[in-house]
């Protein structure tokens, strides 16, 4: 319905568009962008799950671009009492100029996008976390000078982050080695599509994945909504901690990334998260810059390229 553009997953932007988006985000990061293309507009932010970074970066980012952000949770909106997703989408559509959603089922975000004419931005689903991966690639730009020819090692769960890394590797052409325990692979169709490029591989051994990598990255063992699986997952992921020994397998100049929140002593040791190769605070800051670029383009008419 409608000719608007949404951002639900990385492939919603072409490789060329992603390059321009990173250039725009980089200008924002350097403090070289002062326009307010969202002046007089409103952004609805629907959070069906908790958030620190996504909430603050979208709220502050929208405000910096001139928009009024609305923070909405199931306690505040009728969606939490069973109002249909498509009814909510059609109502918000009449009042705001963009909608950011964080929820469980990816299909709910797709349904929102079908029913709302205004741009819909995915702030995390069980399947995808595309805004975070944009921030991670921007951090590669910042600290490694780009992503071309680089190798990223993903250690741990084949979750929403892993799926969005697969999409990014497919679209941008870097090498991605995923090390996941059996039974915790990425989404089969997203993985297969990425593997067809010949640059994405699924391994079982974290050491092998990290060998010579430029980026070593991981995420929690139990994502939001999987809290009751924590004990079983802790057993399955015991060999999948990013520690000093694993970082030694990577390039000497390799960086460590983590979307946060992190659990020191589980998926990452404190020495790595707080160590000299960690770029996690820049990575978190880059959420602000890259999402401002996305909002400026989708909601503010900022041209790409
Ligand atoms: N990385 C990330 O999305 O963090 P929040 O859950 O705090 O938004
Ligand atoms: N995989 C994690 C990411 C949190 C930002 C989750 O979905 O909970």
């Amino acid at each position: 319905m409608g000719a608007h553009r949404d951002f639900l997953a990385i492939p919603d932007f072409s490789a060329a568009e992603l390059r321009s988006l990173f250039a725009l985000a980089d200008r924002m990061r350097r403090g070289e962008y002062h326009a307010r293309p969202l002046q007089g507009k409103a952004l609805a932010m629907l959070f069906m799950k908790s958030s620190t970074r996504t909430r603050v970066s979208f709220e502050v980012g929208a405000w910096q671009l001139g928009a009024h952000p609305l923070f909405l949770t199931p306690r505040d909106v009728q969606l939490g009492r069973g109002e249909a997703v498509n009814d909510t989408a059609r109502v918000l559509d009449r009042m705001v100029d963009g909608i950011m959603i964080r929820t469980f089922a990816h299909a709910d975000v797709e349904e929102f996008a079908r029913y709302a004419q205004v741009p819909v931005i995915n702030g995390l689903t069980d399947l995808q976390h595309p805004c975070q991966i944009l921030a991670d690639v921007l951090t590669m730009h910042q600290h490694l000078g780009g992503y071309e020819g680089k190798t990223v090692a993903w250690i741990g769960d084949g979750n929403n982050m892993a799926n969005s890394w697969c999409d990014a590797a497919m679209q941008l052409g870097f090498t991605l080695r995923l090390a996941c325990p059996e039974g915790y692979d990425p989404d089969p169709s997203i993985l297969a599509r990425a593997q067809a490029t010949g640059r994405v591989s699924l391994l079982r051994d974290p050491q092998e994945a990290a060998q010579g990598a430029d980026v070593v990255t991981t995420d929690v063992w139990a994502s939001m909504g999987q809290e009751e699986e924590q004990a079983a997952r802790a057993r399955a992921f015991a060999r999948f901690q990013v520690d000093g020994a694993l970082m030694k397998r990577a390039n000497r100049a390799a960086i460590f990334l983590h979307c946060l929140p992190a659990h020191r002593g589980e998926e990452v040791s404190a020495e790595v998260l707080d160590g000299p190769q960690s770029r996690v605070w820049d990575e978190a800051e880059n959420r602000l810059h890259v999402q401002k670029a996305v909002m400026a383009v989708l909601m503010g008419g900022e041209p790409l390229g």
Side-chain angles (χ1 to χ4, degrees), residues 159-187:
N159 62 12
N160 41 15
M161 285 288 297
N163 291 333
S164 293
W165 270 115
C166 286
D167 279 349
M170 175 185 72
Q171 207 74 341
L172 298 172
F174 55 83
T175 298
L176 174 65
R177 292 194 217 117
L178 304 131
C180 309
E182 227 156 312
Y184 296 94
D185 292 354
D187 176 80

Side-chain angles (χ1 to χ4, degrees), residues 124 129 159-160 219-220 223-224 259-260:
L124 180 147
H129 198 3
N159 62 12
N160 41 15
D219 189 11
V220 290
S223 285
M224 288 182 275
C259 64
L260 307 175

Side-chain angles (χ1 to χ4, degrees), residues 84-106:
V85 168
N86 63 68
D87 291 353
T88 308
R90 282 181 284 195
V91 171
L92 290 181
D93 175 69
R94 298 292 177 103
M95 301 177 187
V96 303
D97 304 280
I99 301 168
M100 182 252 106
I101 316 177
R102 164 169 290 197
T103 193
F104 294 86
H106 192 74

Side-chain angles (χ1 to χ4, degrees), residues 50-55 102 129 132 224 259-261 287:
S50 307
S51 172
T52 298
R53 282 142 289 266
T54 307
R55 188 251 167 113
R102 164 169 290 197
H129 198 3
Q132 180 69 54
M224 288 182 275
C259 64
L260 307 175
R287 294 292 302 279

